[in-house]
Amino acid sequence: MLGLLGRTTRRGFGALAAAAVVAGTMGVGAARAEDTIKVGILHSLSGTMAISETTLKDVMLMLIEEQNKKGGLLGKKLEAVVVDPASNWPLFAEKARELITKDKVAAVFGCWTSVSRKSVLPVFKELNNILFYPVQYEGEESERNVFYTGAAPNQQAIPAVDYLANEEKVERWVLAGTDYVYPRTTNKILEAYLKSRGVKAEDIMINYTPFGHSDWQTIVSDIKKFGSAGKKTAVVSTINGDANVPFYKELANQGIKATDIPVVAFSVGEEELAGIDTKPLLGHLAAWNYFMSIDTPENKAFIDKWHAFTKNPKRVTNDPMEAHYIGFNMWVKAVEKAGTTDPDKVIATLPGIQQANLTGGVSQMLPNHHITKPVFIGEIKDNGQFDVVWKTKDLIPGEAWSKYLEGSKNLVADWVKYNCGNYDTTTNKCLGAAAK
């Protein structure tokens, strides 16, 4: 999965990235290995993903510092080991191997894009370590060595469609995405789901564009024409990278307002909106499991700590940061319960572990290595924040396999009951940890 702005796929600020590299060396080699428990941080500090992943590196350093102030873990201080996979997908695998074999980390928190996650999966399986992955993704996966704290499609994409259909009375659907695995798989699920709701094929328009796409005039014109058939129309956007900026601008240029054809995005958050002109985006929507604007004591305390740690009151918080907050605290609780950082024992202990989230609920790690999460629909404001216009009543359990896809609907992931990531309920057989 990817975010909104970049030089090719994200917006980037060289000075920030360079500073992040310096900051990322904090604590590395500061103590002897036997005196500390090492925690790997595998986020890009350079390249196209640096602006997004640097923030996640920073929040991990804050969480580790906080835990050390509480006395550490199992009587030892935690030590952050920060590496830079540099937005280079094969390099993610190399750096993961280095963290596990050379630095002897107890667990790793990292990755952003699905291709970076897919790159490291064989390493964590071979070397039997633990990865906490904090970003929403396309699902269709459950690995024994991975804990998915971002949203599965049923925790973001499906509820967003339900909101548009039930609250906005949308009848025609534009599924617009960037041409890579996350949008294509998500839209495959959404197309099947819409048809299961009785939506006809002629009321679904699907479009893919390459990263960095800038000429939206023809496509937006097609969307406008598609939306002029007398039925309420909406765009469900998995558009990623800096292509979003000209996309929203072209919507405004052609006079398409959020009240006419609303766009609900899955990759537009506070970090992406910071520092850009939000006028073309006003009134459009985003679906997340966390917004910085949500008013709870837990969120306020988290934001205050973040501003104090970064020494910058303008730094925003976002959904993947909360996912790391939840995942890190779950790992700490599992290690304390197991009495060891041994990966096998921690993996076995994590299902059932609960952690208060920042929006007022309590998330739980499930046997499929996904967590329970609330879902919020937010309307973009001119200050780059969101007004929550809808939320789920309860926390939604993350589903590894989509019930709307023919090859997945009979699969379940359950590492407690079946010790399997894709158990076929029709044949009562495990297909292997990663069938797809």
Side-chain angles (χ1 to χ4, degrees):
M1 178 270 158
L2 279 169
L4 172 59
L5 301 167
R7 289 305 175 208
T8 57
T9 62
R10 298 290 299 192
R11 61 190 161 93
F13 299 101
L16 274 177
V21 174
V22 175
T25 61
M26 291 166 48
V28 179
R32 290 177 300 166
E34 63 266 25
D35 294 333
T36 64
I37 295 173
K38 292 186 175 184
V39 179
I41 302 176
L42 184 66
H43 284 301
S44 295
L45 308 180
S46 58
T48 59
M49 294 304 300
I51 189 61
S52 290
E53 298 200 59
T54 295
T55 297
L56 297 186
K57 179 270 299 179
D58 287 343
V59 78
M60 282 305 304
L61 291 178
M62 181 186 82
L63 293 169
I64 289 169
E65 181 182 278
E66 273 192 344
Q67 188 63 33
N68 282 336
K69 288 178 180 177
K70 297 175 186 176
L73 187 59
L74 302 182
K76 297 182 178 182
K77 292 292 185 180
L78 296 178
E79 180 183 344
V81 183
V82 181
V83 294
D84 179 16
S87 307
N88 178 322
W89 317 136
L91 191 57
F92 268 85
E94 293 180 32
K95 291 296 184 181
R97 185 174 294 276
E98 179 183 305
L99 284 170
I100 298 167
T101 59
K102 177 187 171 186
D103 298 303
K104 310 294 185 186
V105 298
V108 177
F109 294 77
C111 298
W112 182 290
T113 67
S114 286
V115 68
S116 68
R117 186 191 73 256
K118 295 284 190 185
S119 175
V120 304
L121 291 183
V123 177
F124 281 89
K125 186 175 181 179
E126 174 197 343
L127 300 175
N128 195 31
N129 206 276
I130 301 172
L131 172 68
F132 283 84
Y133 178 64
V135 184
Q136 87 269 28
Y137 82 119
E138 67 280 0
E140 306 303 290
E141 179 181 299
S142 178
E143 290 280 345
R144 177 180 178 272
N145 298 88
V146 182
F147 292 86
Y148 307 80
T149 55
N154 75 300
Q155 295 173 306
Q156 186 186 35
I158 298 291
V161 165
D162 286 341
Y163 168 79
L164 291 171
N166 299 334
E167 305 297 327
E168 301 288 340
K169 309 304 179 186
V170 170
E171 297 179 274
R172 301 202 94 194
W173 305 84
V174 179
L175 307 183
T178 303
D179 193 3
Y180 81 112
V181 61
Y182 166 65
R184 281 195 173 272
T185 307
T186 300
N187 286 341
K188 187 178 177 183
I189 292 169
L190 287 180
E191 181 183 13
Y193 179 62
L194 288 169
K195 289 180 177 177
S196 78
R197 289 184 58 119
V199 177
K200 296 178 181 178
E202 58 262 32
D203 287 327
I204 303 173
M205 171 183 168
I206 303 175
N207 180 265
Y208 293 103
T209 46
F211 282 113
H213 191 71
S214 58
D215 185 3
W216 288 94
Q217 189 171 350
T218 301
I219 295 171
V220 169
S221 179
D222 290 343
I223 292 172
K224 188 175 183 180
K225 183 179 179 181
F226 185 78
S228 64
K231 295 180 178 180
K232 180 69 174 181
T233 302
V235 177
V236 179
S237 173
T238 47
I239 298 168
N240 291 282
D242 51 5
N244 268 290
V245 175
F247 169 66
Y248 282 100
K249 283 184 178 178
E250 187 59 34
L251 288 174
N253 289 344
Q254 295 196 28
I256 299 175
K257 299 178 181 178
T259 50
D260 303 324
I261 302 178
V263 177
V264 60
F266 303 155
S267 298
V268 178
E270 293 87 350
E271 185 74 20
E272 287 75 25
L273 294 175
I276 69 166
D277 180 12
T278 57
K279 284 182 182 178
L281 292 87
L282 293 182
H284 288 294
L285 306 166
W288 289 104
N289 312 103
Y290 166 91
F291 286 115
M292 185 178 181
S293 59
I294 292 174
D295 186 12
T296 64
E298 296 89 351
N299 196 28
K300 184 180 185 303
F302 180 77
I303 294 168
D304 287 346
K305 289 176 183 176
W306 175 241
H307 288 162
F309 179 80
T310 60
K311 298 179 173 59
N312 184 351
K314 294 183 179 180
R315 286 287 293 271
V316 297
T317 58
N318 64 16
D319 184 285
M321 290 172 63
E322 191 217 21
H324 260 343
Y325 168 84
I326 294 170
F328 176 77
N329 283 292
M330 283 183 168
W331 175 74
V332 167
K333 290 180 178 181
V335 169
E336 289 174 337
K337 186 176 179 181
T340 177
T341 59
D342 176 75
D344 288 330
K345 293 181 180 178
V346 174
I347 289 170
T349 304
L350 270 162
I353 295 289
Q354 295 184 339
Q355 170 60 37
N357 59 37
L358 298 176
T359 59
V362 177
S363 291
Q364 180 171 321
M365 183 61 69
L366 303 171
N368 65 4
H369 290 189
H370 293 65
I371 68 173
T372 56
K373 298 172 81 75
V375 185
F376 302 94
I377 307 293
E379 185 176 299
I380 298 172
K381 298 164 61 178
D382 58 4
N383 65 351
Q385 293 291 322
F386 293 85
D387 268 334
V388 174
V389 297
W390 180 87
K391 64 179 180 179
T392 51
K393 182 180 178 181
D394 301 308
L395 274 66
I396 307 298
E399 295 175 358
W401 301 100
S402 174
K403 63 185 74 168
Y404 303 106
L405 295 183
E406 193 60 36
S408 303
K409 65 181 182 180
N410 296 320
L411 300 181
V412 296
D414 192 323
W415 292 101
V416 176
K417 183 178 181 181
Y418 300 123
N419 192 31
C420 179
N422 45 24
Y423 186 83
D424 191 326
T425 57
T426 59
T427 63
N428 294 324
K429 291 182 179 178
C430 183
L431 302 181
K436 296 193 176 185

